[in-house]
Amino acid sequence: MTHIHFKLNFEELKEKVLGSDLEDVMKSALVIVLNSFMEKERDDYLEAASYERTEGRKDYRNGYYERDYKVPVGTLKLHVPRTRKGEFSPSLFEKYTRSDQSLVLSMLEMVVNGVSTRKVTNIMEALCGEGVSKSMVSNITKKLDPLVMEWTNRPLNVKYYPYIYTDAMYIKVREHHKVVSKAVYIAVGVNEEKKREIIGMTVQHAESKESWSRFLESLQSRGLQSPKLVISDAHEGLKQAIQQRFIGTSWQRCTVHFKRNLFDTLPKKGREEAKRWIKRVFNASSVEEARALKDQFLKAYEDQPRFTKVGELLEEGFDDAVQFMNEPVDYHVQLRTTNNVERINGEVRRRERVIRIFPNTQSAFRLIGAVLMDIEEQLDRGNRIYLKGT
């Protein structure tokens, strides 16, 4: 009797089968082919067929386990052969692993960019032909934890940051069955190369001196040296924390916020002229010039009771609002306001808005940290610098 032997190229068959557009009726046939391919791979790995006794066998068979495998027609349930020592792995799943990693990275990117869990589920359903549960999305996003933790705890003693911007934004978090407000502290440093880095982030219960002090202390514990200038708004707790933690550091009050406060106290009559004068004060190129303009303003309006309050506020906050003028003139525009960090806050807000309420503090830390990591990659890329000039 004549025996006919078929010689199959399993690698070529696998690629052709996986790349084809099969109907559901072909799923069972595909399962048989792939199971047979993995069985042959195990035989080759063991260097022994089933029930064959050889001197050179590497290991022994140890049954099978079930594993899902995604293909264009859906998900197949395969019987994956295993060995006693557990060192055998079918090459079929090397491609699956790469696809799985791509899927995870795509889902993480969607989450970081502010796509809601419900939308991620719908997108995955369209791509994979089946739904992805909310719990699966949640578990996948937890893969961000070690990355975010490593980034937020990286050493800061390898560079010196002469200028630091800091600000807080507020988010909603579920805690003990209640929705509470929490503060997210963000710090941006400008290093000696005149480029920006997001050097710190934390989620705190409230914006207070103690919370700000803990945040600044955490930066110091990572090696941050006292900067020349810290730029922020006029939160009293932050001011006190800066004085306590950064000896020899000057505090720059954001001039945009300060001018807004001054303008709010101006009377309607004569308001525009007074605003132009105040703007001239903070557009001066030196502290001496600004002080002279400020004194002229106070003298010009000293006999007008309607301007008494704005004069008092200007006098009280002047010194803290002109510290940037002690730095190179070319840096003044960047150093006099917190617009830099507020734009970052705005980008974080845009991406977290779809979430509305974080399920817990850890999820807030995870997502906002990942967003900040993404934003930092876009800051001053290539040869671009933030502080231009001398």
Side-chain angles (χ1 to χ4, degrees):
M1 182 176 181
T2 304
H3 294 277
I4 301 176
H5 297 280
F6 292 94
K7 187 175 181 180
L8 297 178
N9 186 325
F10 279 94
E11 281 295 327
E12 182 178 349
L13 175 63
K14 180 179 69 171
E15 292 300 323
K16 288 184 177 180
V17 170
L18 292 180
S20 62
D21 186 14
L22 303 174
E23 299 296 335
D24 288 345
V25 293
M26 295 297 292
K27 281 186 179 181
S28 58
L30 182 55
V31 168
I32 294 173
V33 170
L34 295 180
N35 284 343
S36 299
F37 171 67
M38 290 188 291
E39 189 72 53
K40 180 181 183 301
E41 275 197 321
R42 183 170 65 173
D43 290 346
D44 293 342
Y45 172 80
L46 296 175
E47 297 183 2
S50 182
Y51 301 109
E52 182 183 2
R53 298 182 181 273
T54 64
E55 294 292 334
R57 72 158 53 242
K58 294 181 179 179
D59 200 351
Y60 294 88
R61 290 168 177 77
N62 190 31
Y64 305 86
Y65 67 93
E66 288 191 343
R67 180 169 177 176
D68 290 343
Y69 188 85
K70 289 185 174 65
V71 292
V73 294
T75 299
L76 307 178
K77 192 172 292 293
L78 302 181
H79 291 279
V80 183
R82 58 188 175 190
T83 58
R84 192 173 298 175
K85 294 180 182 178
E87 297 177 355
F88 167 71
S89 178
S91 63
L92 180 70
F93 288 100
E94 292 177 4
K95 181 175 181 178
Y96 177 86
T97 301
R98 292 194 296 271
S99 300
D100 184 53
Q101 290 174 348
S102 299
L103 180 66
V104 169
L105 291 174
S106 298
M107 293 177 69
L108 289 178
E109 185 174 359
M110 283 188 282
V111 172
V112 168
N113 281 285
V115 180
S116 67
T117 301
R118 178 179 56 81
K119 289 182 179 178
V120 171
T121 300
N122 293 339
I123 292 170
M124 288 299 105
E125 183 174 356
L127 291 176
C128 303
E130 60 182 61
V132 176
S133 67
K134 289 184 179 181
S135 61
M136 179 181 176
V137 176
S138 177
N139 289 333
I140 286 177
T141 57
K142 289 179 182 178
K143 293 179 181 289
L144 290 169
D145 282 349
L147 301 176
V148 174
M149 288 299 297
E150 181 181 4
W151 179 75
T152 54
N153 291 320
R154 71 192 188 276
L156 297 177
N157 57 356
V158 295
K159 296 180 183 177
Y160 176 58
Y161 302 88
Y163 309 112
I164 292 177
Y165 303 82
T166 190
D167 196 17
M169 59 180 290
Y170 290 88
I171 59 173
K172 292 182 179 180
V173 179
R174 294 190 190 278
E175 193 172 77
H176 306 303
H177 307 291
K178 297 189 299 183
V179 176
V180 299
S181 177
K182 294 205 172 187
V184 179
Y185 294 175
I186 298 174
V188 176
V190 180
N191 60 37
E192 293 175 301
E193 299 171 350
K194 303 176 185 178
K195 292 190 172 187
R196 292 169 295 173
E197 297 178 32
I198 301 174
I199 60 174
M201 184 275 291
T202 189
V203 181
Q204 299 280 357
H205 293 292
E207 190 176 4
S208 63
K209 175 191 172 184
E210 291 73 20
S211 296
W212 273 117
S213 184
R214 285 195 298 270
F215 179 53
L216 299 181
E217 183 181 13
S218 70
L219 299 179
Q220 289 177 314
S221 69
R222 291 163 52 202
L224 180 69
Q225 303 175 50
S226 293
K228 294 171 63 177
L229 198 66
V230 175
I231 305 99
S232 73
D233 63 18
H235 187 277
E236 193 61 36
L238 175 55
K239 289 170 54 180
Q240 295 176 16
I242 291 171
Q243 294 172 359
Q244 177 184 346
R245 290 291 170 187
F246 293 142
I247 306 300
T249 295
S250 298
W251 172 60
Q252 168 62 44
R253 181 176 184 175
C254 175
T255 58
V256 171
H257 290 90
F258 187 41
K259 286 188 291 186
R260 192 177 298 152
N261 294 339
L262 294 172
F263 296 162
D264 288 343
T265 64
L266 290 173
K268 290 184 179 180
K269 187 175 181 181
R271 176 186 182 87
E272 294 305 316
E273 177 62 26
K275 284 177 64 174
R276 285 192 291 270
W277 203 323
I278 291 172
K279 289 179 181 179
R280 288 176 58 203
V281 171
F282 297 104
N283 286 333
S285 58
S286 68
V287 175
E288 293 74 20
E289 181 186 352
R291 193 179 302 279
L293 289 168
K294 182 261 296 182
D295 291 341
Q296 292 172 22
F297 175 85
L298 295 178
K299 187 174 182 179
Y301 288 96
E302 63 182 353
D303 295 329
Q304 301 185 44
R306 292 175 299 129
F307 290 88
T308 300
K309 186 174 181 180
V310 68
E312 292 174 348
L313 288 176
L314 178 59
E315 185 71 80
E316 179 185 355
F318 174 79
D319 287 323
D320 290 329
V322 296
Q323 292 303 303
F324 72 93
M325 295 182 185
N326 293 309
E327 304 303 318
V329 174
D330 292 333
Y331 299 174
H332 285 187
V333 172
Q334 285 84 7
L335 295 180
R336 66 188 179 188
T337 79
T338 57
N339 286 352
N340 167 37
V341 69
E342 287 184 358
R343 281 193 291 270
I344 293 174
N345 287 351
E347 183 63 17
V348 173
R349 181 71 69 193
R350 181 183 69 82
R351 301 196 200 183
E352 64 86 32
R353 190 176 291 122
V354 296
I355 298 174
R356 291 180 53 247
I357 302 173
F358 288 96
N360 50 59
T361 301
Q362 180 58 34
S363 66
F365 179 85
R366 177 190 306 133
L367 176 62
I368 295 174
V371 169
L372 291 175
M373 290 173 65
D374 185 51
I375 293 172
E376 188 183 53
E377 290 184 359
Q378 310 303 318
L379 295 179
D380 311 328
R381 302 179 70 178
N383 295 323
R384 291 178 56 193
I385 58 175
Y386 181 66
L387 296 179
K388 298 179 173 61
T390 56

